[in-house]
Amino acid sequence: RALRGRGIASQLVQGALEQIRADGAKVVAGCSFVADYLDKHPEFSDALSDLGLIVQKEKPAIGGLLRLN
């Protein structure tokens, strides 16, 4: 049974971003899905590192979230 289209990945990214924000850390978008999610959810812009803005524009093909402490 396919999981695509159910919003599961979005829920995982949201939960990860909320935890990272609560810990006071920053992230870099490590894949195009996360980069697109961050584009659509500016409420998480405070969790994105300055480096993440550069990486996000290039929309890398692999990865996910890279947490920066």
Side-chain angles (χ1 to χ4, degrees), residues 32-54:
S32 59
F33 181 86
V34 173
D36 288 341
Y37 184 91
L38 289 166
D39 279 342
K40 294 174 186 172
H41 297 274
E43 66 271 22
F44 288 110
S45 63
D46 62 313
L48 187 62
S49 78
D50 292 339
L51 177 61
L53 294 172
I54 295 166

Side-chain angles (χ1 to χ4, degrees), residues 3-69:
L3 298 176
R4 180 172 269 186
R6 294 183 174 186
I8 295 169
S10 292
Q11 291 175 15
L12 289 171
V13 171
Q14 179 182 350
L17 287 168
E18 288 171 350
Q19 183 62 52
I20 290 165
R21 176 195 277 160
D23 291 345
K26 300 286 183 181
V27 299
V28 171
C31 72
S32 59
F33 181 86
V34 173
D36 288 341
Y37 184 91
L38 289 166
D39 279 342
K40 294 174 186 172
H41 297 274
E43 66 271 22
F44 288 110
S45 63
D46 62 313
L48 187 62
S49 78
D50 292 339
L51 177 61
L53 294 172
I54 295 166
V55 174
Q56 184 179 3
K57 289 178 183 173
E58 301 206 7
K59 301 207 181 200
I62 59 170
L65 285 172
L66 174 63
R67 179 187 171 127
L68 304 175
N69 289 329

